Amino acid sequence: MLLTAADIDAATRELSGVIRRTPSIASRVLSERSGSDVWLKCENLQRTGSFKPRGAYLRISRLTADERARGVVAASAGNHAQGVAWAASDLGIDSRVYMPVGAALPKIVATKAYGAEVVSAGATVDEALVHARRHADETGAVLIHPFDHLDIVAGQSTVGVEILEQIPNVSTIVVPLGGGGLLAGVAAAVRLRRPDVRVIGVQAAEAAAWPASLAERHPVPVASMNTMADGIAVATPGAVPFAHVTEFVDEIVTVSEEELSTALLLMLERAKLVVEPAGAAAVAAVASGRLSVSGTVCVVLSGGNIDPLLLRHVTTHGLTAAGRFLTVTATVSDRPGGLVALLELLRDQGASVLDVVHSRVADDLYLGEVQVTVSVETRGHDHQHTVRRALADAGFLRD
């Protein structure tokens, strides 16, 4: 169940010239926040926009002629779907991908563009995988699992190989964690070459199957998932990744939805990189201070495939979490000049008004009053506190 050094060397040779050697770049903002020398491994710049083609190509390229003739099938919310579609097309093999109902439209369109037949099925990746297995059983198509296969993990291990070569003095590597294929591969590559390097996995708290699974010493499905990070929303860890994680990984941590959105916004604003919520999980762990790191740290950006509509929502969520948006409900006089007084106070406090909504039917209003819900742009949590205090001192806010 565990990769050997020879397995990783073979995967590295086979993927050379096929998969991009993505850059590792220094991150000043994360270095400042953590007090360490932090680098970003940019798998969001990989073919199809994520690390997934590494494992998918290796797995598919090793199929026999008979297996290739029967085609391949996969299940994915988007990144593995695109990786399988691209790899299969590049190797001249037919592919079908089952994607959850409600999967991001750009990911569906991209998967089709790479050459796969796309079928919508199930509410989650796990449910879509049931349909993919059924199709494989009925047709003989080869199931390309998103993470639970030794070839998949071997392909993902090449991310770890590149990190060690690009950042020779790395002391800690932080990796997003869903089903576990990427973390397992990176951890195996690192442990077999540099056992002194810490490897840490990061899950979304709202889809965290790994803490309970590790406690029980076997994969345990999580009861429910509700996270914006669809790329790591996996209900049950894979058996192959589980064996590697328990053997090679030092620590697993979780991050909140607010921390994910703030991390995504941080990458947009400071690193000028588009990263999806799942891809920003490791950034969230470092930026939020959840991890105690030192020395030279590598943070893996696992993917950058994000629906523009979700990007707008997540950006707003991140701005709110960072203290950049503030919405308050104020009570003003329902006479000429009442609203003006409120807006002038906000102007004097340096808050930029974004939206104003009036209501004259709130339960706690007195005659001659109007309730105003106003959204403003602020400069952080301290500025928000100052604005709220000024509104309260002026009588616009009620206890």
Side-chain angles (χ1 to χ4, degrees), residues 16 70 76 166 183 187 375 399:
S16 177
R70 288 185 266 131
S76 168
Q166 293 170 331
L183 179 62
S375 298
D399 294 334

Side-chain angles (χ1 to χ4, degrees), residues 189-335:
V190 171
R191 279 292 181 267
L192 293 171
R193 287 165 168 77
R194 287 279 308 281
D196 58 302
V197 176
R198 293 177 68 211
V199 180
I200 300 171
V202 184
Q203 276 210 294
E206 297 301 319
W210 279 91
S213 296
L214 291 172
E216 294 293 330
R217 298 185 180 181
H218 64 87
V220 175
V222 69
S224 63
M225 297 184 294
N226 183 25
T227 177
M228 67 180 74
D230 62 338
I232 53 175
V234 177
T236 308
V240 174
F242 189 83
H244 288 77
V245 170
T246 54
E247 184 73 18
F248 299 133
V249 173
D250 295 284
E251 185 179 358
I252 303 293
V253 299
T254 61
V255 291
S256 68
E257 298 298 288
E258 289 74 18
E259 288 164 342
L260 284 169
S261 59
T262 301
L264 186 150
L265 180 63
L266 187 68
M267 290 295 93
L268 276 174
E269 287 193 319
R270 298 295 298 273
K272 316 307 177 189
L273 292 170
V274 176
V275 183
E276 62 189 281
V283 175
V286 173
S288 65
R290 286 190 177 273
L291 289 177
S292 176
V293 293
S294 60
T296 301
V297 180
C298 178
V299 171
V300 178
L301 308 179
S302 58
N305 294 316
I306 184 169
D307 184 340
L309 293 177
L310 177 62
L311 178 61
R312 182 177 66 178
H313 171 73
V314 173
T315 300
T316 300
H317 193 268
L319 288 169
T320 302
R324 304 272 293 281
F325 280 164
L326 172 65
T327 299
V328 294
T329 299
T331 303
V332 304
S333 171
D334 192 16
R335 295 179 181 178

Side-chain angles (χ1 to χ4, degrees), residues 14-26:
E14 291 173 44
L15 293 179
S16 177
V18 177
I19 297 299
R20 290 175 184 161
R21 184 181 173 90
T22 54
S24 291
I25 61 175

